[in-house]
Amino acid sequence: MIRTLFATLVLLASTLGTACSNDGPAALRAAAPVAELFPLKVGEVTLQVQVPLTDAELARGLMFRDSLDPDHGMIFCYREPGQKSFWMNNVPIPLDIGFFDSEGVLREIRSMFAYDRRSVISSRSDVRYALEVNKGWYQRNNILPGARIDLADLASALKARGATAADYVSK
């Protein structure tokens, strides 16, 4: 799936010398995908999200998946806001990504295309969360810039994953 450029570089640097195929580094393929699903309200819609936290989970993202269930997604959380970059290497399904600020406000939505290796970079430098969903999900659910993610839902998911929610969610 998609991951930040930084997480990708960290993982790729740590796996130099690992056998690679046309499908990507063996370490990414072998890394277990995030399994747990958590409810996350976005605007007035609740979806089920996965929350990657380890470097391997962040780098793998939604890679090597043939589909993503309707009303499911993956949210990437960052300790610090900044400009974020994602790509679709080894992701066979088209996605949309929403970039959210520290307050959980949706600031922009971008489309991403299957197997596209070009980076999709947020236009803003205050991005704290990035939510990937099936292409068209934001439009179908009338989720527009200005909508908010429920930060209490997100904090609960982070805590359930063993993270310190305060590292990712500001009060």
Side-chain angles (χ1 to χ4, degrees):
M1 129 105 299
I2 301 158
R3 68 237 72 48
T4 65
L5 182 58
F6 176 75
T8 301
L9 292 175
V10 168
L11 184 67
L12 290 177
S14 69
T15 59
L16 283 178
T18 301
C20 294
S21 70
N22 288 338
D23 293 329
L28 287 178
R29 183 175 283 287
V34 179
E36 300 97 343
L37 290 169
F38 302 97
L40 179 67
K41 191 171 183 181
V42 182
E44 296 301 316
V45 179
T46 300
L47 70 159
Q48 298 294 312
V49 297
Q50 295 168 303
V51 184
L53 291 175
T54 68
D55 287 343
E57 291 170 345
L58 290 165
R60 181 184 170 110
L62 292 173
M63 282 183 171
F64 311 115
R65 297 193 194 181
D66 295 328
S67 65
L68 182 62
D69 288 343
D71 294 320
H72 282 209
M74 182 173 278
I75 189 160
F76 296 82
C77 304
Y78 301 95
R79 293 175 191 267
E80 297 295 328
Q83 191 171 39
K84 305 303 177 192
S85 178
F86 290 76
W87 67 333
M88 295 286 286
N89 188 46
N90 298 312
V91 182
I93 51 178
L95 301 171
D96 284 339
I97 188 167
F99 293 108
F100 296 79
D101 66 15
S102 293
E103 303 299 317
V105 177
L106 177 60
R107 296 302 182 181
E108 64 182 288
I109 301 166
R110 304 281 301 276
S111 292
M112 299 188 298
F113 303 95
Y115 298 111
D116 192 348
R117 290 184 177 190
R118 292 173 293 172
S119 293
V120 173
I121 303 169
S122 65
S123 64
R124 298 175 59 104
S125 60
D126 62 348
V127 173
R128 187 97 183 252
Y129 313 105
L131 176 60
E132 294 178 340
V133 292
N134 284 306
K135 185 156 181 56
W137 183 87
Y138 289 100
Q139 183 178 8
R140 282 190 301 280
N141 289 285
N142 200 30
I143 305 293
L144 304 170
R148 292 180 177 267
I149 55 174
D150 187 318
L151 293 177
D153 285 352
L154 185 57
S156 294
L158 288 162
K159 184 177 177 185
R161 287 287 334 268
T164 302
D167 289 346
Y168 299 94
V169 178
S170 304
K171 299 288 184 209

